Amino acid sequence: MKVEIVTRRDGEQEIVAYDYVPRDDSEKPMILDVLLQAQANGMPDLAFRYGCRARNCGVCTVDINGRPRIACRARIKEGDRISPMATLPALSDLVVRRDGVARQMRGRLATAGQGNDLNVSAPDDYHALTGCIECYACLHECPMHARNFDGGLPDEQAVEDRPDPAEGYTSGNPFSLLKLQRIRIDPLTSEAGKSSALDNAIDLGLDACVGCKGCKCGVGIDLIGKVIWPMLEAAGDRLAEKG
Amino acid sequence: MPIEVDWCDYDVVVVGSGGAGSHAAQAAAATGARVLVVSKDPIGASDTKISEGLATVRESGSDDDSEEILSENLKMAGGDLPLNAITDAFAADSKEAYDIYRRQGLRPEIDDERDIPKPLPLPMGGHTRRRSVGHRNSGIAFGHANWNMIVQGEGIDYLEDSWFLDLVTDQAEAGTDKSVVGGIIYHAALGRLIAVKTSSVVIASGGLSTLYFPKTDTMRGNTGDSYAIAARAGADLVDMEQVQFLPFCLASPPSYEGLLVGEPVTASYLGVLRDKNGKVILDGVFLRTRADCSSAIMRAVEDGRGSPNGGAYLDMTANKRPPRSGPYFMRFVESALPSAYKVARQAMSKAAGNCEEPWEVRPSAHYMMGGIRADEHGASVAGDGDGSAGAGLAGLFTAGQAMGGVFGANRLGSTSLTEGAVFGRRAGEAAAHLARKSATRDTREEAFTPMIENIRRRFGQKGDSAAAVLKLELQKAAWINIGPVRTADRIAEMERVLSDLDAKLDDVAVPGYAEWNQAFIEFEELRNLIASARGVCLASRERDGSLGGHVRMDGKQISAFSKPYSTVVSHSPGGGWRVRRVNRDRTPLKQIIAFKIQDAKRKAAVKWLRMLPAGMQDRALEKKYLAVMGAGGTAKEVMPGGADAAVGEATQA
């Protein structure tokens, strides 16, 4: 099975053809199977992230033909092109720099004011949100996230204009909104905590969700129904005032 | 241009961002210490996040549970290798430590009547009480809590994509023992080295299961970093032969090889293990420990009665068949270990997924029960018996899988998530305490120089070998020689392989560029895997019988009544590797006998159940399930997402 792998060394990008040898006749390999075999067979320094091989850790996301896929649990077919996630800055080969997303949440996750009684069950919607594995597939075509890069992709930007991920991106994304919505529906969050979570969502650019055709979750969480709409609804008047 | 070095200093440095690391960082920061967390994987992407999400919560299942009973369960399961002070600490702190997770947003289902988190309907193997609490989204829910702790953490700075390469030690004054003065970090995303000055380092960077890849169900990052870093700095390692192999993992198809599909408890009342001829090799599976099951499978394999892919068959069809109790069983399997069952359904046939066909299972490396030798505060210890912190490496602390002495020869299900929280917190507090005492000390930059120069020389190293390829060689040899089945000859063969690989390290090609240099990363991880494997070899040689995690084909089963001992492995630059024994306290005879009788009774009760005529058996089982699960038989939704909704499965070839 012939596929293409986009590599990048010391800033130089190259497209490498790789011929995957199936381990048995019926094998329909995952993307990660191809990467592991390539590393063992001719590309020993190939850089890619992976962790659990079971779609739980969220670190192995790559783009297949320009769309994000979780490498350990997405099948690959003849002619596919594997490239690093386009929504984050590329480092080496398929490895992108992820930490600008997490760092934007610093100081925004306060859950202070919780009650002392921890023995309270959470609603189903709460658990739907803690299923997020932080794979960042949801950054794909997100207009809010694109604001960090002048509305485009990080690698299209001039080097001097690129934001420093170490500072945390200023504009949010479905993942950061999910983190905030989780705080809002946690039965143990105080009213002040809930309202500060909404403030943070607005600060991260919730207005970008108005009129957006919507985001897609890598593990099937209903982002629009369980994150975006509840937040837009709660923020409605304030967003309208903002214009 | 050689890779550049940045300097910084912190009160406490925590290596690792999983359950143990995040709890250590938070505990240290809570005392006012300035904390740096160093993580090679993204924050929180650890074994905790990908675990089954079961936590031991004392008293969650019944009021007759106690600290004494929990501590005794751990110690007895561990073959008396765990330290009393450590199992007591685990039992004492387990509820409080779990509540820290809850304050960070972990929300278990609550038993409203008893006003406490609801445990699984059956005790997990080796626990004499129900106290294993399951969670929606399994470990992922814990991952969110750990992530929040570090990302939000006041007083906590963190680096991801950063490999903590080695500890730096120095003498405080001439003639005194060396103590920790800092460490060297490779920040791959920035392409720089970071030299951090600190008096207190908590190593919480996980285990070594990647030594057995792909026959493992854990994170790729488990390259033995914890043990190698500690040993190179002169710390003792304990019980390094005790690698835990989970019995019920997949042997095929290739993309799923090694992944977990069940625990002994999954087998429920009637599940048995069979060899390739259909003969029962272990009954009463749900009451057995993980070690019992792994050992039964591997003995059959060694005897030529293994399944096609080198395992055995877990046969649960008898649970499924009865018309009344069968549906309860299915709900039990679905809800007890949701993510393992999800893997089983995806990877195997539909009939197998419905438990109408036996599952082909093979043990996988899951957890390192040995590790850095420490006391109940996670402080490095050395010396005879339980050891003393005074003799250990001052300034080194540890928690989680990195730490030894907690579980000994067998770790009970659901204990590791609790362990990370309990000892993470203790180690974080102890590390911060030491930092306060050492606040005025001057650190000599010269102590860092030789190490920095060595690392710089690796960038641009010429050679004909690739670390990623040598790693495959190592992994293959490790499964055969120091995997679940061992003999003196195989251990000797492994030591030969390790010497070969060691010699090749200087011939590994590493390009010169600094930013995310994968070859350098592979080199460092290979070096750590080799050092950890050395520890496993030495300790396995010293442990000349079967105990716990592995079977010695050329030795006897070590009895619970014999005098227990632990193995201690250490390394010195001049003297190389050495191994010795330290004595352990045996549980009083009366207690061992009482435990054995209780255990035999429970197993007999199940045997009796299997003998009943079908109709009576069905009704008896229905009653049992009703008693433990309630009439609703809560079948939790398997999350996250269905196959249709998920990006992963949507790309069928």
Side-chain angles (χ1 to χ4, degrees):
Chain A
M1 180 193 291
K2 291 190 174 57
V3 299
E4 290 174 343
I5 303 174
V6 176
T7 65
R8 183 194 189 90
R9 285 297 146 80
D10 214 7
E12 294 294 312
Q13 192 171 303
E14 201 183 322
I15 298 166
V16 178
Y18 182 75
D19 196 357
Y20 180 79
V21 184
R23 287 168 288 189
D24 59 56
D25 298 343
S26 61
E27 189 186 9
K28 287 186 202 158
M30 310 288 181
I31 301 164
L32 181 61
D33 293 321
V34 172
L35 298 176
L36 286 170
Q37 192 185 84
Q39 194 186 46
N41 186 15
M43 301 174 75
D45 299 343
L46 182 66
F48 55 98
R49 294 180 194 268
Y50 73 101
C52 67
R53 299 183 294 138
R55 213 182 67 177
N56 284 326
C57 75
V59 308
C60 68
T61 319
V62 292
D63 280 357
I64 291 294
N65 307 327
R67 304 184 78 84
R69 295 284 180 263
I70 297 171
C72 67
R73 282 288 167 267
R75 313 248 182 222
I76 187 164
K77 58 183 189 312
E78 181 85 26
D80 280 350
R81 174 179 290 187
I82 312 172
S83 58
M85 251 192 292
T87 46
L88 291 168
L91 288 170
S92 253
D93 296 342
L94 302 168
V95 175
V96 294
R97 183 147 180 203
R98 295 171 44 116
D99 70 337
V101 175
R103 286 189 196 273
Q104 75 181 179
M105 299 309 287
R106 212 160 165 78
R108 299 185 194 270
L109 296 162
T111 47
Q114 287 188 342
N116 287 324
D117 182 11
L118 292 168
N119 289 332
V120 179
S121 296
D124 280 350
D125 277 359
Y126 182 86
H127 296 295
L129 301 191
T130 60
C132 164
I133 63 171
E134 204 190 347
C135 69
Y136 293 165
C138 61
L139 305 188
H140 184 67
E141 293 183 350
C142 170
M144 193 191 307
H145 179 65
R147 286 176 178 174
N148 295 306
F149 316 104
D150 300 332
L153 295 169
D155 288 347
E156 293 167 359
Q157 240 180 343
V159 176
E160 60 276 14
D161 295 338
R162 290 179 190 171
D164 181 4
E167 301 290 319
Y169 294 137
T170 47
S171 293
N173 54 70
F175 166 76
S176 50
L177 295 185
L178 175 142
K179 279 288 200 184
L180 295 169
Q181 176 64 7
R182 187 197 64 89
I183 292 173
R184 292 185 65 233
I185 59 174
D186 183 342
L188 289 170
T189 307
S190 65
E191 284 310 312
K194 286 176 186 174
S195 124
S196 127
L198 189 62
D199 292 346
N200 276 308
I202 293 168
D203 184 51
L204 286 170
L206 181 64
D207 57 296
C209 300
V210 180
C212 174
K213 67 180 163 56
C215 31
K216 187 162 183 189
C217 171
V219 292
I221 297 168
D222 175 10
L223 290 172
I224 298 166
K226 291 195 168 19
V227 177
I228 309 294
W229 275 114
M231 281 196 151
L232 281 178
E233 231 166 58
D237 295 345
R238 292 174 59 189
L239 288 181
E241 276 166 34
K242 228 177 143 187
Chain B
M1 198 176 71
I3 183 167
E4 288 180 58
V5 184
D6 296 326
W7 291 82
C8 60
D9 67 277
Y10 281 90
D11 296 327
V12 174
V13 173
V14 176
V15 187
S17 67
S22 55
H23 284 258
Q26 199 197 35
T31 70
R34 292 173 310 117
V35 179
L36 177 70
V37 175
V38 185
S39 178
K40 61 183 191 180
D41 278 312
I43 296 301
S46 71
D47 273 2
T48 300
K49 181 175 178 182
I50 68 163
S51 72
E52 277 306 311
L54 294 162
T56 300
V57 182
R58 198 189 70 228
E59 287 151 31
S60 56
S62 57
D63 294 331
D64 68 347
D65 196 0
S66 69
E67 287 182 31
E68 290 72 26
I69 297 172
L70 174 52
S71 177
E72 187 190 296
N73 280 180
L74 292 174
K75 198 163 158 52
M76 205 88 89
D80 275 337
L81 270 49
L83 298 189
N84 289 320
I86 290 183
T87 57
D88 286 352
F90 179 104
D93 290 6
S94 76
K95 279 174 84 170
E96 255 178 86
Y98 176 73
D99 283 350
I100 297 177
Y101 268 120
R102 295 211 273 167
R103 289 183 202 290
Q104 295 293 339
L106 183 72
R107 299 279 171 264
E109 197 180 330
I110 303 298
D111 176 343
D112 289 329
E113 233 162 79
R114 300 191 60 246
D115 198 29
I116 200 162
K118 204 185 229 170
L120 293 190
L122 295 175
M124 293 189 80
H127 286 279
T128 58
R129 297 289 186 281
R130 284 171 58 208
R131 53 165 91 99
S132 303
V133 177
H135 297 84
R136 300 274 289 270
N137 298 313
S138 305
I140 299 165
F142 288 77
H144 279 279
N146 293 331
W147 191 94
N148 290 356
M149 252 185 256
I150 293 175
V151 171
Q152 174 73 6
E154 271 172 49
I156 301 175
D157 287 341
Y158 70 88
L159 302 172
E160 59 182 55
D161 295 340
S162 293
W163 275 252
F164 189 93
L165 302 176
D166 262 311
L167 289 164
V168 178
T169 58
D170 196 12
Q171 290 170 322
E173 47 196 284
T176 58
D177 286 337
K178 284 191 170 185
S179 58
V180 171
V181 295
I184 314 274
I185 299 158
Y186 170 51
H187 194 314
L190 296 182
R192 301 176 81 88
L193 294 179
I194 296 169
V196 55
K197 297 178 185 175
T198 182
S199 62
S200 309
V201 175
V202 180
I203 295 193
S205 42
L208 53 63
S209 302
T210 296
L211 188 54
Y212 303 96
F213 184 88
K215 294 169 179 72
T216 171
D217 68 331
T218 67
M219 287 291 284
R220 168 212 167 276
N222 284 295
T223 48
D225 305 352
S226 302
Y227 319 119
I229 291 168
R232 281 196 295 264
D236 275 0
L237 306 178
V238 70
D239 297 333
M240 286 297 285
E241 77 281 14
Q242 296 296 345
V243 180
Q244 179 167 52
F245 296 91
L246 280 192
F248 304 147
C249 299
L250 289 172
S252 71
S255 305
Y256 291 84
E257 188 179 357
L259 299 182
L260 179 76
V261 286
E263 287 274 15
V265 69
T266 309
S268 194
Y269 298 101
L270 303 177
V272 295
L273 270 173
R274 296 181 192 276
D275 65 11
K276 71 172 180 190
N277 306 317
K279 188 173 162 255
V280 173
I281 54 175
L282 195 73
D283 61 10
V285 166
F286 81 110
L287 295 175
R288 308 282 180 169
T289 63
R290 293 161 162 180
D292 291 338
C293 299
S294 288
S295 155
I297 297 169
M298 293 317 292
R299 281 180 190 278
V301 172
E302 286 292 309
D303 197 32
R305 293 178 285 120
S307 63
N309 292 297
Y313 296 100
L314 175 62
D315 184 357
M316 299 184 286
T317 53
N319 289 311
K320 174 67 193 290
R321 226 174 291 128
R324 299 167 84 99
S325 61
Y328 284 103
F329 164 70
M330 283 313 291
R331 275 188 245 166
F332 168 71
V333 172
E334 284 161 14
S335 61
L337 293 148
S339 62
Y341 182 64
K342 187 176 74 180
V343 170
R345 273 192 329 190
Q346 284 176 5
M348 294 189 282
S349 70
K350 197 169 172 214
N354 292 332
C355 302
E356 286 153 5
E357 251 176 30
W359 297 359
E360 187 187 9
V361 290
R362 184 183 64 197
S364 267
H366 177 69
Y367 193 90
M368 180 52 167
M369 296 177 291
I372 301 171
R373 193 175 173 210
D375 65 10
E376 70 273 23
H377 301 289
S380 159
V381 301
D384 292 333
D386 291 0
S388 72
L393 176 57
L396 172 62
F397 300 84
T398 182
Q401 203 177 169
M403 175 180 175
V406 190
F407 299 121
N410 186 45
R411 184 179 69 76
L412 301 181
S414 81
T415 51
S416 72
L417 299 186
T418 309
E419 176 208 21
V422 165
F423 295 104
R425 192 166 65 130
R426 283 171 163 257
E429 281 170 2
H433 180 71
L434 178 73
R436 274 196 301 279
K437 285 204 310 194
S438 326
T440 55
R441 207 172 61 183
D442 278 336
T443 306
R444 300 181 317 126
E445 292 199 355
E446 302 85 82
F448 291 67
T449 316
M451 208 174 266
I452 290 172
E453 289 314 311
N454 268 334
I455 295 164
R456 279 182 160 164
R457 270 196 295 276
R458 292 290 177 197
F459 286 87
Q461 175 170 297
K462 303 268 179 291
D464 295 320
S465 303
V469 175
L470 297 180
K471 189 154 99 180
L472 296 175
E473 223 175 276
L474 172 64
Q475 287 162 337
K476 214 169 155 187
W479 177 257
I480 296 168
N481 296 309
I482 52 170
V485 179
R486 300 174 194 169
T487 65
D489 289 347
R490 292 186 193 185
I491 295 163
E493 167 62 14
M494 189 68 208
E495 287 178 321
R496 196 195 55 73
V497 171
L498 292 176
S499 298
D500 262 16
L501 289 169
D502 247 336
K504 283 182 190 160
L505 279 178
D506 287 335
D507 184 44
V508 165
V510 181
Y513 60 88
E515 190 181 277
W516 202 288
N517 187 324
Q518 189 68 30
F520 176 74
I521 292 169
E522 297 286 341
F523 172 87
E524 282 295 325
E525 292 185 340
L526 173 65
R527 196 165 75 103
N528 290 343
L529 280 168
I530 292 173
S532 309
R534 280 270 178 216
V536 177
C537 283
L538 258 76
S540 304
R541 192 136 51 79
E542 189 64 26
R543 169 82 54 201
D544 51 7
S546 295
L547 180 71
H550 62 279
V551 181
R552 269 301 283 265
M553 296 305 288
D554 56 350
K556 283 206 198 77
Q557 182 67 40
I558 294 175
S559 145
F561 297 102
S562 66
K563 178 79 190 144
Y565 64 89
S566 274
T567 60
V568 172
V569 172
S570 57
H571 178 264
S572 63
W577 291 94
R578 63 189 277 260
V579 61
R580 61 189 201 280
R581 293 183 184 191
V582 290
N583 290 325
R584 291 284 184 248
D585 297 330
R586 196 184 60 196
T587 302
L589 272 184
K590 234 171 93 183
Q591 261 168 276
I592 303 185
I593 293 168
F595 181 85
K596 295 248 166 202
I597 292 174
Q598 202 187 5
D599 198 39
K601 265 189 183 161
R602 294 195 310 149
K603 283 169 189 158
V606 188
K607 209 158 213 163
W608 166 83
L609 200 56
R610 278 211 316 279
M611 306 293 175
L612 284 178
M616 275 172 79
Q617 185 192 56
D618 194 11
R619 276 189 294 276
L621 282 175
E622 184 186 29
K623 243 178 162 172
K624 277 185 175 288
Y625 282 118
L626 274 173
V628 292
M629 295 171 76
T634 43
K636 288 171 214 153
E637 186 187 347
V638 179
M639 294 173 84
D644 303 336
V647 167
E649 276 86 7
T651 48
Q652 296 291 330

